[in-house]
Amino acid sequence: MTTPVRTGGDLVTESLTALGATTVFGLPGQHALGLFDAVRRSPLESVGLRVENNAGFAADAHARITGTVTPLLVSTGPGALMTMAALQESAAASVPVLGIGSQVPVAGLGGARRGYLHELADQAAVMRGVVKSARTVRAASQIPSALAAAWADALEAPCGPVWVEIPEDVLLAPAAAPPVRTLTARPRPLPARPETVAAAAEALSGARRPAVLAGGGVVRAGAQAELLALAELLDAPVACTFGGKGAFPWDHPLSLQSWLEDRHTTEFLQDADVLLVAGSGLGELSSNYHTFAPRGRVVQIEADPGKLEANHPALGLHADARAALAALAESVTPRPAGDGRARAAGLLARVRERLDAQDLARERRVLRDVRAALPDDAASFWDMTILGYWAWSAFDPRSGPLHTAQGAGGLGYAFPAALGAAAADRSRPVLAVSGDGGAMYSLAELATARQHDLPVTWLVVDDGGYGILRAYMTDAFGAAAGTELARPDFAALAASFGVPAVHTTLDGLRDDLGAALSSPGPSVVVLRTTLRMFAPSHDPGTKAESGSS
């Protein structure tokens, strides 16, 4: 038996392994065959999905769960372009995905227009509008350094997706370089400047009504303990953005939970004489659709300098949330506990009163039963759907991470993302929640779930269309258009892939979902019902999310 000749593709897999990768996601194409052949001969686990965009969502979730870079391998032209919606989500949510795409042979680079299959005039330029950095490799010896630099880019705060493309002939050519054994990619730390910490600590220590809004940057930085310590020192109530769910204990006496679409919460945060915004840019979803208007001073911690004061004037700390919160906890003057807890309890009571005045028993029951069925430490992934929007505000993630596609707001995220999370940890179940419209973006990945025997339970809430858009259009225009959908029998379709599936009811949801989550391998639970959102407390005309129910 002859020993395979090492190629540029081997330099890629050796470099990824040396950098710490264990799993890659993607699917092959003509120009990427040399890369996938090298993956076959490497220690890397390859999880092949059926659509490049779904592979990007899976890589995104794997990176969120592992807290480090996850490689996404695709081919040229259509394959690369099909990843862009997923990479936009990773960019919006600051997730470190390393996209590695093939390219036409070197002779066709630079817009030479030689007529190669999949040829684009400038593929890297297309990707640059979405990713943090994009590199084109032109020789095999450049591969290790290009991948190490991209890896460091992806991890450096603010994290985000990056792109490296390698021509087909470079991937296939014999590699003269020795095997890659060691490769270093060290992102630069991002501590807060001492003078900004001192100014922020002075403002917070002197506040009479301090409050905190914790965003996704707290979760990404693993700064939950630092946030808890600071909030308790200041006796400051803490609200979490939708992307920041899990940043603060849901049932803590200082917790305001995540009712950011409720006017009472907006008013509470506006009334703070000093509001600490940690790891959020105060964008549309974190500001009750830009109706939030602070009357006090804002102190903002943000790793992305472009988000500092993007929406409101603030004392800005350009820093990693963990480092900045730890520094503040060491610098503030503690205050007695009591008033902050009373204020938090009063707000939650007002929120409950508002919900109790609406006919939402079905919606609250469904969410309650999903929470009861899901193990405390299990991860959940929610599509842009009515039940997902409820989860933004009302779901307690407990010790399991909760992720949605609200960074970019695209459909079809939940199921492929859950597959990526399950590939990171097969020891516990993962829940995906979709509407029937969003589910149809990902049906092909039932084959992926079965092929890799991934422990993902997919809850599909079927109301016959894009339910949230149906509601928005009816409210705005008196009638809906383009929202009603022919759809399959999801349970029968899943069964045709060899995936166990069941139709459930409102009365049976808790038991059926619990049974599915406790069974090995993939499963599907279908609930046919129509859900409603709680009444908006902002101008509905400002709300334009995409979604299905």
Side-chain angles (χ1 to χ4, degrees):
M1 182 176 178
T2 59
T3 302
V5 175
R6 286 179 63 254
T7 65
D10 290 292
L11 284 174
V12 174
T13 60
E14 292 166 3
S15 298
L16 293 177
T17 302
L19 288 165
T22 58
T23 307
V24 298
F25 296 84
L27 59 160
Q30 177 177 321
H31 293 149
L33 296 181
L35 176 56
F36 279 82
D37 179 61
V39 170
R40 176 181 62 84
R41 293 183 276 106
S42 79
L44 295 168
E45 178 187 9
S46 178
V47 180
L49 285 93
R50 303 306 188 264
V51 182
E52 288 88 351
N53 191 55
N54 292 336
F57 285 145
D60 173 284
H62 188 274
R64 295 188 195 211
I65 294 298
T66 61
T68 191
V69 178
T70 295
L72 167 65
L73 313 183
V74 295
S75 192
T76 322
L81 296 178
M82 282 287 287
T83 68
M84 293 189 72
L87 291 174
Q88 183 189 6
E89 174 59 35
S90 298
S94 297
V95 180
V97 172
L98 168 53
I100 302 175
S102 59
Q103 249 293 15
V104 299
V106 172
L109 296 177
R113 305 302 295 273
R114 290 175 176 260
Y116 289 110
L117 186 68
H118 306 326
E119 183 179 86
L120 289 169
D122 193 342
Q123 181 174 280
V126 176
M127 309 306 291
R128 272 189 199 98
V130 176
V131 299
K132 283 183 69 177
S133 65
R135 293 172 172 81
T136 301
V137 169
R138 295 175 179 267
S141 61
Q142 300 173 7
I143 290 173
S145 295
L147 292 177
W151 190 284
D153 283 349
L155 283 179
E156 189 165 300
C159 296
V162 293
W163 179 259
V164 176
E165 57 186 32
I166 308 171
E168 177 190 29
D169 48 349
V170 175
L171 289 169
L172 293 171
V180 181
R181 305 296 185 205
T182 58
L183 203 55
T184 301
R186 294 193 181 97
R188 294 171 295 181
L190 188 59
R193 290 185 292 111
E195 59 269 29
T196 59
V197 171
E202 181 181 6
L204 289 165
S205 297
R208 291 176 292 108
R209 297 182 309 282
V212 180
L213 180 61
V218 174
V219 177
R220 289 188 294 273
Q224 290 90 336
E226 288 78 7
L227 174 61
L228 177 60
L230 179 61
E232 291 182 337
L233 286 168
L234 294 172
D235 192 39
V238 180
C240 293
T241 70
F242 305 143
K245 291 186 74 72
F248 196 76
W250 186 261
D251 289 327
H252 191 282
L254 288 170
S255 175
L256 303 176
Q257 301 179 359
S258 298
W259 292 98
L260 296 191
E261 290 192 54
D262 188 280
R263 201 66 225 167
H264 295 306
T265 302
T266 307
E267 175 60 31
F268 187 99
L269 297 175
Q270 288 178 158
D271 188 53
D273 56 346
V274 180
L275 175 66
L276 173 62
V277 179
S280 171
L282 286 173
E284 183 178 28
L285 296 182
S286 301
S287 63
N288 205 354
Y289 303 92
H290 292 303
T291 63
F292 169 68
R295 294 188 288 271
R297 188 175 190 185
V298 176
V299 176
Q300 185 182 13
I301 300 169
E302 178 54 59
D304 185 344
K307 293 180 180 179
L308 281 173
E309 299 190 83
N311 287 296
H312 298 282
L315 169 59
L317 282 71
H318 178 215
D320 172 80
R322 187 173 185 178
L325 290 169
L328 285 173
E330 293 176 355
S331 304
V332 297
T333 301
R335 74 180 66 224
D339 179 63
R341 288 158 171 77
R343 292 166 54 225
L347 170 67
L348 293 181
R350 292 192 295 276
V351 171
R352 283 193 298 270
E353 288 172 5
R354 182 170 176 267
L355 290 172
D356 291 343
Q358 303 174 52
D359 181 17
L360 297 169
R362 172 179 301 190
E363 290 75 11
R364 296 169 79 174
R365 176 186 180 184
V366 169
L367 202 63
R368 183 173 61 249
D369 287 350
V370 172
R371 177 62 278 175
L374 185 67
D376 286 359
D377 61 350
S380 60
F381 292 82
W382 304 70
D383 224 328
M384 301 295 284
T385 183
I386 288 176
L387 190 58
Y389 296 163
W390 266 95
W392 289 359
S393 294
F395 196 80
D396 174 6
R398 297 182 182 166
S399 58
L402 181 152
H403 296 286
T404 74
Q406 51 94 13
L411 281 177
Y413 174 78
F415 187 52
L419 297 178
D425 181 1
R426 287 177 165 84
S427 69
R428 66 194 72 196
V430 180
L431 174 66
V433 180
S434 299
D436 51 290
M440 286 191 279
Y441 280 63
S442 309
L443 292 176
E445 306 311 337
L446 287 164
T448 301
R450 181 73 281 166
Q451 180 173 341
H452 294 279
D453 199 32
L454 295 168
V456 173
T457 293
W458 194 8
L459 173 61
V460 179
V461 181
D462 181 358
D463 71 355
Y466 297 121
I468 194 70
L469 297 179
R470 177 194 293 145
Y472 291 165
M473 291 189 74
T474 301
D475 288 347
F477 308 114
T483 60
E484 307 313 300
L485 301 173
R487 72 272 190 211
D489 180 330
F490 290 102
L493 183 63
S496 74
F497 283 92
V499 175
V502 62
H503 283 284
T504 192
T505 62
L506 291 173
D507 290 336
L509 174 62
R510 180 182 299 195
D511 290 342
D512 288 337
L513 187 60
L517 286 161
S518 63
S519 301
S523 57
V524 172
V525 176
V526 182
L527 174 65
R528 289 178 173 166
T529 191
T530 299
L531 303 176
R532 299 186 303 118
M533 285 302 298
F534 47 83
S537 61
H538 57 273
D539 177 6
T542 67
K543 191 174 188 178
E545 307 104 321
S546 298
S548 72
S549 174

